[in-house]
Amino acid sequence: MDKEFVVNDVHQTCHIIVVGAGIGGLTLALGLAKQGHQVRIFEQTKTLSEVGAGLQLSANSMKVMRSLGIDNALKTHHFAPQNACIRDYRSGRYYLKSALGKTAQTRYGAPYWHVHRADLHSILVQQCYANGVEIELNHRVMGYRNTKQNVTVLLEGKTEQADLLIGADGIHSKVRELMLGIEAPFFTGQVAWRGTVRADDIKHINVKPDATVWAGPNQHLVTYYLRGGELVNFVAVEERAEWLQESWRTEGNVNELQQKFAGWHPEVTEVLAACDKTFLWALNGRPTLTRWSDQRVVLLGDACHPMLPFMAQGASMAIEDAYVLAQLLTKYHYSDAYQKYEALRKPRTTQIQQMSRDNASLYHMHGGLAGQLKLNALSLVSRYAKGIVDSKLDQVYGYDVTSLPL
């Protein structure tokens, strides 16, 4: 199995195991399969499904979707927001209104779409199967062992061998734990309520066709449309001192959610009034990892750089990771590919992590009056010095991994 990835410019097929069938793992598997590699995914759940609701695919991730040839499949499921907005939680005043839609597509060379996680997940699964990827469910990784010839992966009930092992198994990554030791993720002091409501049930409030952040004291809420406007997705974040649930995700109490945001703008309260089911997540994080790889094993996505949702870039960063790693593993021996991958991706993901943390403070008006003044200053900047706002967004949305000289 110890094949070079490039020998005299002749591509060699390698056997690669990916742990985790989430967005990042599936994107990686598809990218590797399209390059001719033999890929198997091991997923610990018993069914192929995606927990969650909406996600935002900005231009930087849509360029990867386009390169993989699945943008057309997504087109029938997407919603294209017209603006990215920050509004006051009570008055509805706009602190920021930045054009998306055709304006962003022209500026960044790709669209900005909202999609349901389940739709993207289903399309990726179908494309993986169509390109020869094997997906095995109900398989939990228990250990691995590197040798000179291969990596042996210990699963419950059996062992497998491969040339490489890639851990795309999320913030609670078992592969990361095996590589770097047991270390529980830390609670950030914030929890997120998530759900969707039917747009037909709230026609009377005319939710704007935007990606809107409603900023309030120690809380914020995001609303946007999915599936061509059929659904309105919401993510409601509040600060808490602790998280006592054993599960990282639990079904939430709708009445409690509605009470938490009582008195907010009608576009918020009416969306929540139409909600009949919600899930509650703890927003966890990890310190910066000392390394992302161990000989033939490497990490991807939330397994190595979990993202707070305040830049809407968690899925996009995993998608970018997947493209870069698939390309590098096709051009270089794995040891060089892993080194280049971490050197390229770590600064990028660290930057987005910091921007997300900064936004949490902004959205939650930290500092009382000082927090309100920051939002007022943002309003002035967006109105009279728009180039400053555009420059910040350009760093995120204008980044194009498909054109990097890898």
Side-chain angles (χ1 to χ4, degrees):
M1 288 189 182
D2 191 24
K3 302 182 183 75
E4 297 291 331
F5 286 81
V6 177
V7 181
N8 297 326
D9 296 325
V10 178
H11 174 73
Q12 300 292 302
T13 299
C14 289
H15 176 204
I16 301 173
I17 288 178
V18 176
V19 179
I23 301 300
L26 291 168
T27 303
L28 173 66
L30 179 57
L32 289 168
K34 282 179 172 287
Q35 297 289 342
H37 298 294
Q38 179 187 353
V39 187
R40 299 175 71 188
I41 298 176
F42 289 102
E43 166 60 41
Q44 68 176 354
T45 60
K46 295 180 180 180
T47 58
L48 267 180
S49 62
E50 180 66 19
V51 175
L55 57 81
Q56 302 185 47
L57 293 180
S58 46
N60 49 305
S61 51
M62 282 304 302
K63 289 170 184 174
V64 176
M65 298 293 98
R66 185 170 59 198
S67 74
L68 293 175
I70 65 172
D71 52 329
N72 285 333
L74 277 172
K75 189 175 292 186
T76 60
H77 302 282
H78 84 288
F79 182 86
Q82 296 305 298
N83 302 283
C85 305
I86 302 177
R87 300 179 64 181
D88 186 80
Y89 73 111
R90 281 187 174 168
S91 70
R93 171 194 172 189
Y94 284 86
Y95 296 113
L96 173 71
K97 190 172 185 179
S98 181
L100 294 175
K102 292 181 179 179
T103 300
Q105 182 161 353
T106 299
R107 186 177 185 90
Y108 301 121
Y112 191 116
W113 284 354
H114 295 159
V115 300
H116 200 293
R117 279 183 180 271
D119 295 334
L120 175 58
H121 191 267
S122 176
I123 290 168
L124 286 169
V125 168
Q126 292 170 17
Q127 288 296 311
C128 280
Y129 281 139
N131 283 272
V133 176
E134 299 178 31
I135 304 176
E136 298 192 32
L137 305 178
N138 199 24
H139 283 293
R140 188 182 300 272
V141 174
M142 306 300 292
Y144 70 77
R145 183 176 69 254
N146 281 298
T147 71
K148 185 176 180 180
Q149 291 76 30
N150 56 40
V151 56
T152 299
V153 184
L154 175 64
L155 304 162
E156 285 182 329
K158 67 174 181 177
T159 59
E160 296 285 343
Q161 292 183 337
D163 294 304
L164 303 174
L165 172 65
I166 301 172
D169 47 343
I171 189 171
H172 297 278
S173 170
K174 181 65 176 180
V175 178
R176 185 213 62 81
E177 178 183 302
L178 293 166
M179 180 188 298
L180 298 171
I182 298 175
E183 182 183 52
F186 60 83
F187 178 49
T188 65
Q190 298 171 95
V191 297
W193 308 73
R194 303 171 189 252
T196 60
V197 301
R198 285 178 50 82
D200 283 347
D201 294 340
I202 51 172
K203 282 183 176 180
H204 58 288
I205 62 168
N206 189 30
V207 173
K208 304 298 185 295
D210 301 324
T212 302
V213 175
W214 299 88
N218 303 315
Q219 293 173 288
H220 81 276
L221 188 139
V222 179
T223 54
Y224 56 85
Y225 283 100
L226 296 173
R227 291 179 175 164
E230 176 186 337
L231 300 175
V232 174
N233 182 81
F234 69 83
V235 182
V237 178
E238 61 162 312
E239 298 178 6
R240 289 192 181 184
E242 57 187 355
W243 176 258
L244 300 178
Q245 302 286 342
E246 290 186 11
S247 172
W248 67 279
R249 176 189 66 85
T250 185
E251 188 165 351
N253 183 300
V254 173
N255 290 332
E256 181 185 355
L257 168 63
Q258 293 165 347
Q259 292 168 10
K260 296 279 186 182
F261 291 85
W264 282 45
H265 191 276
E267 279 192 47
V268 172
T269 57
E270 292 299 308
V271 166
L272 298 184
C275 173
D276 58 10
K277 188 173 185 179
T278 181
F279 285 93
L280 187 60
W281 267 263
L283 299 183
N284 292 321
R286 288 193 182 279
T288 301
L289 301 185
T290 55
R291 56 192 170 92
W292 288 8
S293 63
D294 172 26
Q295 299 181 55
R296 293 174 177 271
V297 185
V298 73
L299 303 173
L300 179 142
D302 279 355
C304 51
H305 52 70
M307 294 280 162
L308 290 172
F310 309 135
M311 282 295 297
Q313 285 292 307
S316 291
M317 288 302 101
I319 288 167
E320 286 186 4
D321 284 355
Y323 180 87
V324 170
L325 187 55
Q327 294 297 312
L328 290 174
L329 286 174
T330 302
K331 295 181 178 180
Y332 301 97
H333 184 270
Y334 73 86
S335 58
D336 294 327
Y338 286 176
Q339 183 178 12
K340 292 176 183 293
Y341 163 69
E342 183 173 341
L344 182 64
R345 295 301 301 156
K346 201 168 192 177
R348 165 76 167 164
T349 56
T350 300
Q351 177 193 32
I352 302 300
Q353 285 176 315
Q354 184 59 55
M355 293 174 77
S356 297
R357 288 191 290 268
D358 292 345
N359 275 355
S361 176
L362 181 69
Y363 295 167
H364 290 185
M365 298 180 176
H366 285 175
L369 178 59
Q372 184 70 55
L373 289 174
K374 286 180 182 179
L375 284 166
N376 290 335
L378 176 63
S379 178
L380 290 173
V381 168
S382 65
R383 186 177 306 174
Y384 299 110
K386 187 173 180 295
I388 296 176
V389 175
D390 288 342
S391 176
K392 182 177 180 180
L393 296 179
D394 287 350
Q395 298 175 49
V396 183
Y397 306 151
Y399 194 84
D400 183 3
V401 294
T402 67
S403 65
L404 294 177
L406 299 176

